[in-house]
Amino acid sequence: MLNFVGQILIYVVPFLLVLTLVVTIHELGHYWVARAFKVKIDRFAIGFGRAVFSRQDRRGVEWRVGWLPLGGYVKFAGDLDASSVPDQAGLAELRGRIEAEQGSAALNDYYHFKPVWQRMLIVAGGPFANFVLAIVVFTAMFSLLGDQIAPPRVAEVPAGTPGAAAGFRANDLIVEVNGRPARSAQDVIRVVSLSSNTPVAFVVERDGQPVELTVVPVRTVTEDAVSGRVAIGKIGLPLVTRRDEVRFIRYNPIEAVGAAARQTASVLETTLTYLGRIFSGRESGALLNGPLGIAKAAGGITAQATEGEAPASLKAANLALMLLQFAAILSIGIGFINLMPIPVLDGGHLVFYAYEAVARKPVAARVQEAGYRVGLALLACLMLFATWNDLQKLNLFKFLGGLVS
């Protein structure tokens, strides 16, 4: 029983804390942009199902927390359906009802009668807030902790590895990877792990001279405490950093914002690169995570931050920093996913509004309904695929096979 409670504290609680933070910021993005345009709002909800907390403010907005903390939403006054994009008939019915009950002037308070550009900004406010959260977190870290440059060197070159075949030598200093500066081992790992069976161009410094090398990473199954069991590209070269080559950079507030923006862009670029490789058939999509995978990662981070001998206060501070960084990366992912042109997501709403801006009329109801169903099906398939990946990474099928063998 104590072990079960411990597992909940390590995996479930950090996952819910991080997810709730990211979802709350996303929904606040919609909320504050809507407030800026004086839109009447009925409800701001975090979580689904029966309310465990609910109160109404002086503007008439119900602030609500549901018992299932796996999402959230902002409900605008007059919403007719889950898509929040009524067609001409729906708008006419809503207009007539509002005018009959409140008068024509009240139409200005309703989301659906705002100019299309304002509705687009309100929809985009959620993903934008996710990116802002990431930049704020990274800015705080760069301001408080600075940045570390730890040039990666090749510790040794095991025989038979892709690195050995490419001509690497022990003590080579890796300067560039695919034309980008290699500031740390993580810069190398990030590129190599997503380049299975794809040539990667290196520039190394050897005896004071630059040497160009090309290596093809081999897809290898690996396992760690954070990601679980995954298949990634590897070149078989252990990397080290000399203590005398490590440098710390301190940023002023403006420089920290710039560094944070570059870090956010780098995470987005890595995501786009990986998705592009999936669609081109060069990756299987095994690194896509669902809720179980995210909880596994949160638990792994918690375990890493609290292990070892250190004062409880230091462990708590370390855990908070690591979870905040994890929240920033997750926030970027959620912001990006919500911009995908799927009708049930913010990106799908933006597509509908773009059509309305060009055609001067909303998308037909039957088209919206079909798009909504297709969007739900796509999301369900994506969730099932990600959950399947999670279960494989957690070795659950091997575990179940052992139980019945």
Side-chain angles (χ1 to χ4, degrees):
M1 181 64 182
L2 290 176
N3 185 55
F4 176 72
V5 173
Q7 292 298 309
I8 290 179
L9 292 176
I10 291 176
Y11 290 95
V12 178
V13 173
F15 164 65
L16 291 180
L17 287 175
V18 168
L19 183 64
T20 300
L21 171 64
V22 173
V23 169
T24 300
I25 295 299
H26 178 94
E27 299 305 332
L28 282 174
H30 294 309
Y31 175 83
W32 285 113
V33 179
R35 278 278 308 277
F37 292 128
K38 303 185 185 305
V39 173
K40 186 177 180 181
I41 300 170
D42 286 343
R43 178 183 296 166
F44 181 98
I46 298 299
F48 302 108
R50 181 173 297 180
V52 296
F53 169 83
S54 177
R55 78 172 184 86
Q56 193 171 65
D57 65 17
R58 57 186 178 83
R59 294 184 178 87
V61 180
E62 178 193 6
W63 295 82
R64 176 189 181 105
V65 177
W67 71 270
L68 185 62
L70 294 178
Y73 61 93
V74 176
K75 184 178 184 298
F76 302 116
D79 276 354
L80 301 177
D81 52 38
S83 68
S84 293
V85 191
D87 64 352
Q88 285 183 309
L91 285 173
E93 189 276 333
L94 179 61
R95 180 188 296 272
R97 179 156 50 85
I98 294 172
E99 289 179 338
E101 296 175 357
Q102 305 174 44
S104 299
L107 292 174
N108 293 327
D109 298 331
Y110 284 77
Y111 170 80
H112 300 296
F113 299 105
K114 293 292 183 179
V116 67
W117 66 269
Q118 290 187 8
R119 282 177 276 147
M120 294 181 78
L121 287 178
I122 292 171
V123 168
F128 178 76
N130 284 129
F131 299 136
V132 170
L133 171 62
I135 292 175
V136 168
V137 170
F138 290 143
T139 297
M141 290 186 170
F142 283 128
S143 298
L144 297 174
L145 305 177
D147 194 9
Q148 176 179 286
I149 296 180
R153 283 187 179 272
V154 177
E156 58 178 314
V157 183
T161 61
F168 280 90
R169 296 182 186 175
N171 205 41
D172 280 348
L173 176 65
I174 299 177
V175 179
E176 292 183 5
V177 184
N178 278 348
R180 300 284 183 87
R183 293 157 49 96
S184 69
Q186 287 302 316
D187 291 336
V188 179
I189 294 171
R190 186 182 303 113
V191 175
V192 170
S193 62
L194 298 181
S195 302
S196 299
N197 305 318
T198 302
V200 177
F202 282 81
V203 175
V204 303
E205 184 181 300
R206 181 183 298 165
D207 299 326
Q209 299 297 321
V211 177
E212 296 183 0
L213 301 170
T214 300
V215 60
V216 179
V218 175
R219 184 175 287 117
T220 306
V221 176
T222 185
E223 186 165 356
D224 61 60
V226 175
S227 303
R229 186 167 60 90
V230 294
I232 58 176
K234 282 185 171 291
I235 58 177
L237 299 179
L239 302 177
V240 294
T241 298
R242 291 179 180 174
R243 184 174 299 179
D244 61 332
E245 292 180 337
V246 176
R247 293 189 294 115
F248 288 91
I249 300 177
R250 292 291 181 183
Y251 294 104
N252 62 42
I254 295 177
E255 291 172 337
V257 172
R262 290 191 296 272
Q263 179 76 3
T264 302
S266 176
V267 175
L268 272 174
E269 182 184 14
T270 301
T271 302
L272 288 170
T273 298
Y274 183 62
L275 290 177
R277 290 179 62 81
I278 291 175
F279 286 113
S280 64
R282 290 178 290 176
E283 293 289 348
S284 64
L287 294 181
L288 293 177
N289 286 326
L292 292 177
I294 298 172
K296 165 71 174 176
I301 290 171
T302 303
Q304 286 185 359
T306 55
E307 68 183 3
E309 297 295 331
S313 58
L314 184 59
K315 287 185 177 181
N318 189 35
L319 176 60
L321 285 173
M322 293 181 71
L323 287 180
L324 274 176
Q325 187 174 17
F326 180 60
I329 295 173
L330 181 61
S331 187
I332 295 170
I334 288 181
F336 172 77
I337 289 174
N338 270 277
L339 287 176
M340 295 179 69
I342 299 176
V344 292
L345 299 177
D346 295 330
H349 290 181
L350 291 174
V351 170
F352 285 159
Y353 291 145
Y355 171 87
E356 181 180 343
V358 173
R360 304 291 182 179
K361 62 179 181 180
V363 177
R366 65 180 183 278
V367 175
Q368 290 188 48
E369 183 178 358
Y372 189 70
R373 289 179 176 176
V374 170
L376 279 177
L378 287 174
L379 278 184
C381 290
L382 179 61
M383 185 61 67
L384 287 173
F385 178 72
T387 302
W388 174 268
N389 282 341
D390 293 343
L391 295 175
Q392 288 187 315
K393 293 172 193 174
L394 295 172
N395 291 320
L396 181 63
F397 298 117
K398 182 178 180 180
F399 172 74
L400 292 176
L403 289 179
V404 298
S405 62

